[in-house]
Amino acid sequence: MTMMKSPLSMSILMDRGPQLSSDVEIVTRFRDRLHRTNYGEVGRRARQLANALRSLGVTPGDRIASFGWNTHRHLELYYAVPSMGAILHTLNLRLSPADLEYIINHAEDRIIFIDEDLLPLLERLAGKMPTVKQVVVMSNTGEFKTVLEPALDYETLLAAESAEYTWPDLDENTPMGLCYTSGTTGKPKGVLYTHRSNYLHTITGSLPELLGLDRQATVLAVVPMFHANAWGMPFTALMLGIKQVYPGAMMDGASICQLIQDEKVTFTAGVPTIWLGVMNELRNNPGKYDLSSLRTMVCGGSAPPRALIDWFETNLGVEFIQAWGMTETSPLGTVSRLKPHMLEWPRERQLDVKQRAGMSAPGLELRILDAVNKEVPHDGVSMGRLLIRGPWIASSYYREEPTEDKFPDGWLDTGDVATIDAEGYMSIADRSKDLIKSGGEWISSVDLENAIMAIPGVAEAAVIAVFHPKWQERPLACVVTRPGTTLSKEEIITQLEKQFAKWWMPDEIVFIETIPKTSVGKFDKKVLRQQFADFELPG
Ligand code: ADP
């Protein structure tokens, strides 16, 4: 015999914080006040919640949906639902009613837990969710009205239950979480996480090598809990018992700055759009906030502009860590941090590294392949389709057979096109669908966007492919300028010419009011491409 085959069960990890750090705080921002609780209380309430679910007839494998902001109640759902053997399906509250209806019915959700202020979004689907037998409203007053029925009040439900509950022994491959991709491309697809996959993801994600989290930290998860498990932070924090701060619905720059200052946040994570908002707030109000507690900012979901990374590191003295991942990868895939010998490098060279998506997390394998599935050289320039493999990578979509194009030979084809450099740092050149294929050669829209967004006076920029009779596709740059600035096409071209080969240069630059965004705040190039579908490039 060798070692014990103890199942990798998430309840064991999640019980650790409440057991060892019962007094450590968990703070939630509501519109009118801050709510304070602690690990001990969350541990007890998670057990009350599990008892309530049992009283409502929930059995192992049932899909229990959440439709909520980042709050302590959402954390209790993260904790209780998987620990009792059911599956937490986090619903993206920014989805269109049609996508939401599709997802709820595809998952066959049985109960939906919803924040009171979000009721109107779900009420549009009243009568269209045949499998949903119960709605539970997470309200601060208990005085809500809704056409959805039957509806119960979360706090009343918990109050009636005992805080004694023994988590069942579960096989490590028991499913525990379900999240649908936000549909930047095509229909949403479900990704089903297991205890084992999340356990390994949580342990790995807490390595200092990756995000530099430790028990002294105070974590503010701005990335939504409905978006790829808030990048695993609620689980990691529960395991380590570190202070958590949740922003609720208040994710604008001013609210985030205030929260970081008041709660002395040291570690935070979110998508670039959030950090652009924070940067603008700080720039517009010099001296208003004291953010000296902040040490680490994690940014992923789309490529952070170089200027953004540089601004935060220079002005706040934080470490700005870029990460790459997907719903299908739990989501932690790669993280970009400097190796020791790079600490001596000049600033611009360090920024070159920080602008890359980074090195793979331990336990994961990456490959980049060309059109005939040959490995592309790791020279930092050659682009290939990015494939990934590992214990927390999806092997198929929920209720679908794995297709050979998406899951070739047991790998996941990410749909991203990437380069890997000699140091092992991966960089996303594009999503395959966004890549500009000009005369058989590939142009990275992301590289062009980053360069344009680094020009003072530019607020946002997206580069898309438009039809060209000779080259098939050519780049069109859509630029949003900062209020009160004037910028000409020529000024942008002059800047780009310093950095790119002639055949990479956008054929045209258009100034637009705003760039359409997806439900998780990424540039929605699908919409932009439709807007410019008939665009004729200058001769
Ligand atoms: P969706 O696929 O619905 O947009 P995901 O959140 O799963 O939702 O998005 C994953 C995708 O986001 C990746 O495949 C990649 O294209 C993009 N992405 C994530 N992180 C980065 C990053 N650091 N740099 C560039 N692109 C990123």
Side-chain angles (χ1 to χ4, degrees):
M1 293 302 277
T2 53
M3 310 306 274
M4 293 184 190
K5 292 204 173 80
S6 312
L8 306 183
S9 170
M10 278 302 287
S11 58
I12 298 170
L13 288 194
M14 292 195 284
D15 273 346
R16 193 171 175 274
Q19 276 165 4
L20 300 182
S21 308
S22 62
D23 294 337
V24 172
E25 271 190 316
I26 296 167
V27 183
T28 301
R29 169 86 196 259
F30 289 108
R31 277 183 204 283
D32 49 350
R33 69 196 169 90
L34 290 174
H35 173 272
R36 291 179 189 279
T37 179
N38 60 36
Y39 275 93
E41 195 176 347
V42 163
R44 285 189 293 279
R45 281 166 58 92
R47 285 165 171 81
Q48 287 176 298
L49 176 55
N51 276 319
L53 289 169
R54 192 152 59 186
S55 306
L56 290 170
V58 170
T59 53
D62 281 350
R63 270 78 65 209
I64 307 302
S66 63
F67 196 71
W69 304 106
N70 291 14
T71 66
H72 66 288
R73 295 190 184 105
H74 211 157
L75 179 70
E76 289 157 6
L77 285 161
Y78 262 58
Y79 191 171
V81 175
S83 294
M84 71 177 296
I87 300 171
L88 181 67
H89 175 197
T90 48
L91 291 166
N92 181 334
L93 49 94
R94 300 218 178 84
L95 286 183
S96 67
D99 275 350
L100 200 56
E101 181 184 342
Y102 171 81
I103 286 175
I104 292 169
N105 290 321
H106 187 265
E108 301 188 44
D109 292 330
R110 176 170 181 158
I111 302 180
I112 300 182
F113 285 79
I114 179 168
D115 276 335
E116 180 177 4
D117 60 338
L118 297 171
L119 278 167
L121 295 181
L122 199 64
E123 285 172 343
R124 294 183 291 191
L125 301 186
K128 294 179 179 167
M129 305 175 285
T131 60
V132 177
K133 301 291 176 234
Q134 181 71 59
V135 170
V136 179
V137 183
M138 299 185 282
S139 159
N140 285 342
T141 61
E143 290 163 11
F144 56 86
K145 282 209 181 67
T146 179
V147 298
L148 297 167
E149 52 186 26
L152 286 169
D153 172 49
Y154 183 86
E155 295 298 334
T156 313
L157 190 66
L158 259 60
E161 299 289 345
S162 138
E164 297 293 323
Y165 193 105
T166 308
W167 304 128
D169 289 331
L170 297 170
D171 181 277
E172 64 184 27
N173 290 308
T174 305
M176 62 166 276
L178 180 61
C179 185
Y180 283 70
T181 61
S182 52
T184 317
T185 53
K187 262 230 174 300
K189 299 205 175 289
V191 177
L192 191 63
Y193 308 105
T194 62
H195 279 259
R196 177 188 152 84
S197 71
N198 251 321
Y199 187 107
L200 294 170
H201 182 265
T202 304
I203 299 268
T204 312
S206 68
L207 290 175
E209 144 82 4
L210 289 187
L211 302 177
L213 257 176
D214 60 53
R215 109 176 341 271
Q216 268 67 38
T218 294
V219 175
L220 170 68
V222 188
V223 52
M225 291 170 102
F226 59 74
H227 186 205
N229 295 323
W231 302 346
M233 274 177 303
F235 296 127
T236 309
L238 270 168
M239 174 180 80
L240 297 177
I242 51 190
K243 178 173 170 183
Q244 300 189 63
V245 183
Y246 285 113
M250 317 286 279
M251 291 190 284
D252 59 288
S255 302
I256 297 294
C257 290
Q258 196 67 45
L259 205 51
I260 294 174
Q261 170 179 293
D262 293 350
E263 295 304 316
K264 301 203 171 24
V265 169
T266 66
F267 181 102
T268 181
V271 296
T273 323
I274 294 286
W275 303 135
L276 282 167
V278 167
M279 180 176 78
N280 288 337
E281 173 69 14
L282 292 171
R283 269 184 176 164
N284 295 339
N285 301 283
K288 180 169 174 192
Y289 303 97
D290 171 8
L291 302 192
S292 56
S293 60
L294 198 60
R295 295 199 303 264
T296 312
M297 296 173 79
V298 178
C299 183
S302 55
R306 183 186 184 97
L308 186 79
I309 305 175
D310 191 31
W311 192 88
F312 277 109
E313 294 208 328
T314 307
N315 290 282
L316 293 192
V318 298
E319 184 182 7
F320 191 101
I321 303 178
Q322 172 168 190
W324 166 89
M326 321 167 63
T327 306
E328 292 88 332
T329 67
S330 294
L332 196 60
T334 68
V335 166
S336 195
R337 301 184 77 187
L338 300 178
K339 294 181 184 173
H341 69 275
M342 298 173 176
L343 297 174
E344 310 301 321
W345 285 5
R347 179 72 185 153
E348 290 305 315
R349 202 167 160 207
Q350 289 181 343
L351 282 172
D352 290 344
V353 176
K354 293 187 149 280
Q355 223 187 328
R356 301 184 72 85
M359 295 180 286
S360 57
L364 300 182
E365 295 169 89
L366 300 179
R367 298 168 88 180
I368 42 171
L369 302 181
D370 67 10
V372 293
N373 291 330
K374 214 168 114 282
E375 196 98 29
V376 165
H378 292 185
D379 56 12
V381 212
S382 306
M383 296 182 213
R385 285 161 33 236
L386 178 68
L387 276 68
I388 188 164
R389 182 164 79 168
W392 58 89
I393 310 298
S395 61
S396 70
Y397 289 114
Y398 185 52
R399 296 187 156 162
E400 281 185 26
E401 284 303 313
T403 55
E404 195 47 34
D405 62 330
K406 192 68 199 172
F407 299 96
D409 298 326
W411 290 71
L412 167 76
D413 187 326
T414 61
D416 286 328
V417 170
T419 62
I420 298 179
D421 68 13
E423 296 265 14
Y425 289 73
M426 185 272 283
S427 179
I428 302 289
D430 244 320
R431 290 208 150 182
S432 335
K433 290 219 161 97
D434 295 337
L435 201 71
I436 301 150
K437 293 161 188 130
S438 169
E441 298 290 337
W442 291 356
I443 298 174
S444 157
S445 64
V446 173
D447 286 357
L448 288 170
E449 285 160 11
N450 282 336
I452 299 173
M453 285 191 278
I455 300 172
V458 174
E460 290 177 335
V463 177
I464 54 169
V466 288
F467 173 75
H468 189 280
K470 180 170 176 198
W471 302 110
Q472 291 86 49
E473 289 180 0
R474 291 292 303 154
L476 169 74
C478 307
V479 177
V480 181
T481 50
R482 278 185 202 292
T485 48
T486 49
L487 195 66
S488 68
K489 289 181 195 177
E490 291 67 32
E491 284 170 90
I492 296 176
I493 293 289
T494 311
Q495 285 300 326
L496 295 182
E497 275 171 348
K498 292 182 194 156
Q499 296 172 56
F500 296 102
K502 197 160 182 301
W503 65 276
W504 271 54
M505 297 299 291
D507 280 28
E508 182 62 301
I509 291 170
V510 289
F511 292 98
I512 57 175
E513 285 291 310
T514 169
I515 294 186
K517 309 270 184 346
T518 70
S519 57
V520 290
K522 303 183 191 186
F523 291 169
D524 197 339
K525 295 198 188 171
K526 198 162 59 178
V527 171
L528 210 54
R529 274 195 292 269
Q530 281 158 8
Q531 281 173 12
F532 290 95
D534 301 323
F535 189 82
E536 287 197 20
L537 293 167

